[in-house]
Structure formats: structure tokens, C-alpha cells
Amino acid sequence: MVLSLLLALLWGGSQAQAPGFSLRVQSVVMVQEGLCVHVPCTLSYPRIGWTEDTPALGSWFVVGTDTNKGRPVATNKQDQEQGGSGGRFQLTGDPRNRSCSLLIRDAQVEDSAQYFFRVERGSYVRYNFVESPLYLEVTVLSLTPRPQDHGTHLTCRVDFSRKGVSTETTVRLNVTHVPKDLVISVSRAKASAPEPQGDSPYLEVQKGQFLQLVCASESQSPATLSWALEDRILSWSHPWTPGPLALVLTRVTPGDSGCYTCRAENGRGSQSRTLNLSVQYAPENLRVMALQANRTVLENLGNGTSLPALEGQSLRLLCVAHSNPSAQLSWALRGQTLSPSQPADPGILELPQIQTEHEGVLTCRAQNSLGSQHVSLRLSVVCPPRLLGPSCSWEGEALGCTCSARARPAPTLRWRLGEGLLEGNHSDASLTVTSSSEGPWANGSLSLRGPLGSGLRLGCEARNAHGEQSAAVLLLPDKKGLLSKALGGGVFLGMGITTLLFLCLILAGTPAHAGAPAHAGAPPRPKATRRSTILDYINVVPNPGPLARNRNRNQNRKAMPSSPSQASPPGAPSQECKKNQKELHAAPHTCPGPRSSTQASESESNQENLHYAALTFSGLRPWDTRESKDTGPEYEDIKFH
């Protein structure tokens, strides 16, 4: 639709400079784009070289155009092609009647320019009125509708007052725009009205709390609203369902944390806002993971778990918890706070070497501003049995033996008599067996009465869940077939003394009393021989459990006697016995001297004389129940007779 609008014309034409030539036209004409305008124009020229019958030709050109070559925008020449106006410019005046009026239809912005008029009549009148140009200014009628203008009416009215003619047209505005004024509102209770979140993109709520998020936007045409968590669409509305879109979280969980996006979108475009939701909660899912020596897999330990740890080995505990804000972690042993092994990560507790003082309740605590949680473990220090004994002595006509062992947990003791196995407390006419325990110690005693068979083997065994150890004694008869009472001085068989004693007895090749001062009137003592010793051998047989197998294997390897090939050369005391002499603080005459082959042969073939060896203890000492830092053997004085 083309709307016509006539603007008041400003008259202010200019006179032509050449004699007899003049033109009057409005110097500036303004017209709105798409409208039409009529520009009145008059001219005069001299009456020279033409008659009334001579045709008068007129043309309008854009200023700067060569009239001999260029095309006019409007002309009355029948054979003249017009310029780029496309016939929208029309010369309505007749130059014969001194008129040069111009009609412009559907004015375009690109029509804005300066124009001049040219007249031709006869041989003399050929003139360009460049001194009196017309400036055409095409303006644009702009209307910027607002969202509130949607549905309103717009009327355009044109009034030709001089002619008494007017017209008007009315349209209804349909305003569409991109969604705008997007607002997120928050409600923390079911009964409360949502409140605008404002410009802050962060929202903190507590676990279990009710939460409602409301998204609203202005748009025309209707927009689709949606809620998304990260890149996952949670809910959306249809364009034909106007109004805000609510997202309800009945009980907020830590998994609801994240970036929420509300988006409003229609055919014109979209708008969105984001909200970072942080769910805060007290520490939960607290757990402890343990990594013990020789293990590569972490073990998850719950509250109240019993954690056994082998004495002397290392232990690494890792405490972790879920919380927001992050929890402070700490460790305590029997209620006393422990210094963190790694200050940068206080959830790690390292015990490089487990000792008995580490036994007790270990607690990891996680705490933040919303609460705390703890996990307690019962750390028990365990170790395989360490056998002390057996120790035997004559008590009148009975042979009494005792045996002790230390372990965590306390071991059980039992006796082996020949092929028989004796356990617990038992008593009859021939023997009495008793046992007791206190703390990590187990003690047992065995009393044998009556005649004892030849080649009697006596042993003591100790065991717990983490290993076992045993020691055996073979008792040989004297020449009368009876067991000698040489044990009256007492025999103490410890783990450390076992190897030393066995080596010295093997190497004993000279009379036991050699080098010892003789007492006046004392009868000569018989020579001791290997075959006639009452203490024939001691065999320590460890059988460790899974926690102590490697450790006991090393100890037993150290306790094995030296090979006979390593005996001292002839004519010199045994090197092993010299070492034992130094460790046992024995007198120099304790080690045997050089021995001839004749003496050895005579000694070994003499079966009639009584030969014996006895161990004498200056006094029995109670074993210290506290663990000694010195893991070496305990010794008593040893005397050979």
C-alpha cells in the first residue's frame, strides 16, 4: 500500500544568470520513502529563434550529468530514454507554457540528490539552469513498536487540504520479539512464595531441604521454557501454555548439585540464565582403608572393625569422607590426638613399625560446620609364639620340666612325650601336666614319676593363629639303663642358647674337667663322650602362620648349627666354641683343647665308664613380661663336669 503525503513547499527559487533565462523552483524538497511529491516549477526564456509552432523540450538531470551523453530522470522527448528512475520521475509541466513542474512517485532513499532543468526550443534557446538546482531529500518513516504496543491500532491519514480531499488507513500491530527479562525465583519452603534470585549465580542449600526454582520470561510470540542440569533436560513447557516453569526438588541430595540453566526460546531467538546449586551436608560415608606390609590391595574397614597388625611391621591407614564444605580429618589413639603423618593430608596415618603401645582403639574423625562423623577401629598387635624351654630338673625321684612361651594372642602349650600328646591339665600315678596363662604368656609344667624308658624324647609346643614353635630334648640312659640325675643342676633351653650349646657338645673331645683345679681327695671324674651325654640334641622347629612365616624363617635360619666341615683345625680350639665362650662369659678352660686321634678313638669306644655333661644355673630369673628392645637370647652360666 502506498501512502500519499504532501508536504508544504518552501518557495525560494533563484533567478537565472543569463539574460532572458530564469527558473523558479523550490530549492529543497523533502519526501518520505515510498510516498509521492509534486514539485511546481516555472521558467522563462527569450523569444529568439522560435515561433509558436516550434516544439519546446524539457528534461530533468542529476547535477553533474553531461546532457549530450547522459540520460535524464524525466523528459518530454519521445525518443529520449530516461535514467535510473524507472519512470517514477515525470515531467508534468509543458515548457511551451513556461512550466517545468515535476512529479515523483514512490520516492526511494537512493533518489536523494540535486537536480537541474534543461530547456530546448528553436536554434537559440538551449539552456541548462544549473544556477537554480532542486535538492530532493527522501526520508524514512520509522516506528519502533514496544512490547506493550502489541494489539494496538496504528492509523495513517493524508489530507489534501487545498483540494478538500483526505484519506486514512488503520492497522492492528502484532509485535513479536526475542524473549527478555528472564527471571529465576527461589522458594525454600512449600508454603512460601518464590523470591527473585537477583544477579547472584550461586545458591547454597542444605541436604534434605525443599527447593523450588521458577523460571519466567517476557516474549511475543510465546516462548518455550526449559530447565536443564548441566547438559541434561529436566523439564520444559509448551508454547501454548503461557506462564512460568517451576522445577521442584522435594528433598535436595548431594547429587542435585551442579549448574542449572533456564532457557526461553521462540522464533525470534532465545535467552538463558544459569544458577550454580551447592548442596551442603555434614560428613558421611566415612570409611578407613588399610594397607599393611606385603599387601598391595586396600582393605575397607567399617566402624568397630578389629584390625590385627604383626608386631614390627608397618601399617598405613587412609581415612576418607564425603562432605560439603570439606571436612577436617584427624586421628586419635585411645582418645589422644595423633600428629598427622602428612600435614598436607591429615587423613593419612602411617605407623612405620607396629609396637605394643599402638594397641587400642584408633579413631578417625571428620568434621565440618554442619556436623561430624567418626570411625573407630580396634588395633590389636599380634606376633607368633616365642618359645622359652623346656627346662628340666630332678625333683627327688621325679623329673620335672617347665616350658613358657610368649605370643599375641597368648599361645596354647602342649607336651609331647615320645609319640604321645599331652594337653591341658592332667594328673595320674606316672605324670602330672599343668598349664596356665597370663597376658601374652603361657606356662606349662610336666612331672614324670617312676622308671623312664630309654631314648625318651620330650618336647614342648606353642602355637597361636599366627604361627607355632616347638623344642625337643632326647634323654639318653646311663650304663645301668636309667636316666642320669645329672639334670639336678637344671637345664634351661632357650631359643638363643640352642645352637651354641649343641656346637660345644659336639666339639667336646677332651675330659670335661681338663684344665679345672683338682680338689684334694676328690675322686677322678670320668671322661665325657658324645654318646653318653644326657642332653643329646635340641631341635627347634618353627611353623609360622601367615603373618610371621617370613620372619620366623629368618630366625630359624640363624638358629641352625654350623656344618661339621667348619670345625676348628687339629691342635686348636674350636672357633665356634671360642665365639660361644666370649658370648657366654665362660672361663677359658671351658673350650676343649687339642685331641689326638688315639684319644678320640679310645674315648668313643669306652662304653663302660659313666660320662655326662650337666648345665648348672646360678639362679633362675623370672622372665620380664615387658617386651625387651634387645631381641637377642638370654643366657645362664654353663659349667661342664
Side-chain angles (χ1 to χ4, degrees):
M1 173 181 176
V2 178
L3 300 178
S4 300
L5 179 63
L6 296 178
L7 302 177
L9 301 178
L10 300 177
W11 291 90
S14 59
Q15 299 292 330
Q17 298 296 322
F21 290 91
S22 66
L23 185 142
R24 291 180 60 89
V25 68
Q26 187 175 339
S27 61
V28 178
V29 174
M30 299 179 64
V31 61
Q32 291 186 354
E33 183 181 22
L35 299 183
C36 60
V37 62
H38 183 265
V39 183
C41 176
T42 60
L43 77 162
S44 62
Y45 45 85
R47 194 178 181 88
I48 300 173
W50 57 273
T51 63
E52 293 295 334
D53 297 330
T54 304
L57 304 177
S59 302
W60 284 95
F61 292 90
V62 176
V63 171
T65 303
D66 185 350
T67 57
N68 294 321
K69 299 178 181 179
R71 295 180 299 175
V73 295
T75 184
N76 63 354
K77 291 183 179 181
Q78 299 298 325
D79 58 349
Q80 178 71 50
E81 183 179 357
Q82 297 185 0
S85 62
R88 295 181 292 107
F89 285 62
Q90 181 180 359
L91 178 62
T92 60
D94 185 356
R96 290 184 305 175
N97 300 328
R98 309 303 195 263
S99 177
C100 53
S101 297
L102 177 65
L103 176 63
I104 303 174
R105 296 189 299 267
D106 190 19
Q108 303 295 318
V109 175
E110 56 267 24
D111 295 335
S112 298
Q114 277 190 322
Y115 300 87
F116 69 91
F117 185 74
R118 174 179 174 81
V119 63
E120 298 178 8
R121 192 172 190 182
S123 58
Y124 179 76
V125 178
R126 295 178 179 274
Y127 191 79
N128 296 333
F129 294 93
V130 292
E131 298 87 358
S132 303
L134 164 67
Y135 178 72
L136 177 65
E137 182 179 355
V138 181
T139 62
V140 179
L141 178 63
S142 61
L143 174 64
T144 305
R146 301 165 299 174
Q148 57 266 36
D149 294 331
H150 176 69
T152 60
H153 293 82
L154 178 65
T155 301
C156 179
R157 179 181 179 85
V158 178
D159 187 7
F160 297 94
S161 57
R162 292 182 181 181
K163 301 292 185 180
V165 178
S166 65
T167 184
E168 66 178 27
T169 300
T170 301
V171 296
R172 187 174 185 271
L173 296 179
N174 182 20
V175 181
T176 62
H177 58 85
V178 176
K180 64 176 184 176
D181 298 333
L182 187 62
V183 177
I184 295 178
S185 300
V186 178
S187 175
R188 299 173 186 263
K190 294 182 180 179
S192 64
E195 297 181 358
Q197 173 66 15
D199 296 332
S200 176
Y202 301 101
L203 178 63
E204 293 181 352
V205 296
Q206 292 189 12
K207 178 183 175 182
Q209 183 177 347
F210 173 86
L211 181 65
Q212 180 178 239
L213 304 177
V214 179
C215 177
S217 173
E218 288 188 23
S219 64
Q220 185 62 39
S221 57
T224 298
L225 299 176
S226 64
W227 276 108
L229 174 57
E230 307 300 343
D231 56 353
R232 180 166 55 95
I233 302 296
L234 301 178
S235 64
W236 65 92
S237 67
H238 297 287
W240 55 84
T241 306
L245 177 64
L247 177 65
V248 178
L249 303 176
T250 306
R251 292 180 61 86
V252 178
T253 67
D256 294 326
S257 297
C259 182
Y260 288 79
T261 301
C262 174
R263 180 180 296 275
E265 185 174 7
N266 64 8
R268 293 288 185 177
S270 65
Q271 188 182 23
S272 64
R273 285 194 63 182
T274 59
L275 183 65
N276 290 292
L277 179 63
S278 175
V279 179
Q280 299 188 336
Y281 56 99
E284 60 184 31
N285 298 329
L286 182 64
R287 65 188 186 277
V288 173
M289 293 178 284
L291 180 63
Q292 299 190 45
N294 301 327
R295 302 188 189 182
T296 57
V297 179
L298 288 174
E299 302 175 15
N300 285 320
L301 307 175
N303 194 29
T305 301
S306 178
L307 178 62
L310 188 62
E311 186 177 23
Q313 290 195 343
S314 63
L315 178 64
R316 178 185 174 96
L317 298 176
L318 175 62
C319 185
V320 294
H322 296 157
S323 66
N324 186 25
S326 298
Q328 295 294 325
L329 300 173
S330 62
W331 281 97
L333 175 61
R334 297 188 296 273
Q336 298 295 321
T337 302
L338 300 176
S339 298
S341 306
Q342 300 181 18
D345 193 351
I348 296 177
L349 177 64
E350 294 178 325
L351 302 176
Q353 189 172 21
I354 298 294
Q355 302 296 332
T356 55
E357 56 264 26
H358 293 142
E359 195 167 64
V361 177
L362 269 174
T363 301
C364 174
R365 181 175 297 276
Q367 186 170 8
N368 67 6
S369 58
L370 300 177
S372 65
Q373 190 180 31
H374 72 275
V375 168
S376 294
L377 312 173
R378 181 166 293 277
L379 178 63
S380 58
V381 180
V382 300
C383 62
R386 299 176 184 176
L387 192 62
L388 305 175
S391 173
C392 298
S393 64
W394 284 105
E395 301 171 355
E397 295 299 324
L399 178 64
C401 297
T402 60
C403 185
S404 297
R406 179 185 181 275
R408 285 180 177 269
T412 58
L413 283 179
R414 61 183 182 177
W415 293 91
R416 282 195 179 274
L417 186 59
E419 298 299 327
L421 184 62
L422 306 176
E423 294 184 277
N425 295 323
H426 176 73
S427 179
D428 56 25
S430 61
L431 60 85
T432 298
V433 179
T434 61
S435 63
S436 64
S437 63
E438 182 178 356
W441 289 94
N443 305 299
S445 64
L446 173 65
S447 178
L448 301 176
R449 295 179 291 276
L452 303 178
S454 65
L456 179 64
R457 180 169 179 171
L458 178 66
C460 178
E461 299 177 356
R463 68 173 58 191
N464 69 1
H466 306 289
E468 63 180 43
Q469 279 193 333
S470 63
V473 178
L474 182 62
L475 304 177
L476 298 181
D478 60 10
K479 64 180 179 178
K480 297 180 180 180
L482 299 176
L483 287 174
S484 173
K485 293 186 180 181
L487 291 173
V491 179
F492 179 79
L493 304 177
M495 290 296 297
I497 199 172
T498 301
T499 303
L500 306 179
L501 194 57
F502 184 51
L503 289 175
C504 286
L505 290 174
I506 292 177
L507 297 174
T510 59
H513 61 278
H519 296 282
R525 296 188 178 185
K527 299 178 180 180
T529 66
R530 172 76 173 88
R531 295 182 180 179
S532 61
T533 55
I534 293 177
L535 180 60
D536 184 76
Y537 68 86
I538 300 172
N539 182 23
V540 180
V541 184
N543 186 14
L547 287 175
R549 185 173 292 112
N550 294 334
R551 185 175 181 181
N552 289 339
R553 184 181 297 118
N554 296 333
Q555 290 179 346
N556 294 334
R557 187 179 296 118
K558 296 178 181 179
M560 292 295 293
S562 303
S563 171
S565 63
Q566 297 177 359
S568 302
S574 167
Q575 295 297 324
E576 188 68 27
C577 196
K578 284 184 177 181
K579 178 181 178 182
N580 299 341
Q581 179 190 69
K582 180 178 179 181
E583 293 180 351
L584 298 175
H585 309 288
H589 64 268
T590 304
C591 288
R595 180 185 183 191
S596 66
S597 59
T598 303
Q599 290 174 324
S601 174
E602 179 183 357
S603 175
E604 292 175 359
S605 64
N606 187 354
Q607 300 292 332
E608 301 300 327
N609 297 329
L610 176 62
H611 305 282
Y612 64 91
L615 305 179
T616 301
F617 291 78
S618 60
L620 295 179
R621 296 185 309 219
W623 191 266
D624 188 1
T625 57
R626 295 173 301 175
E627 184 178 4
S628 172
K629 296 183 179 178
D630 184 5
T631 57
E634 294 286 338
Y635 300 103
E636 284 287 355
D637 295 339
I638 301 177
K639 296 180 181 179
F640 287 81
H641 302 279

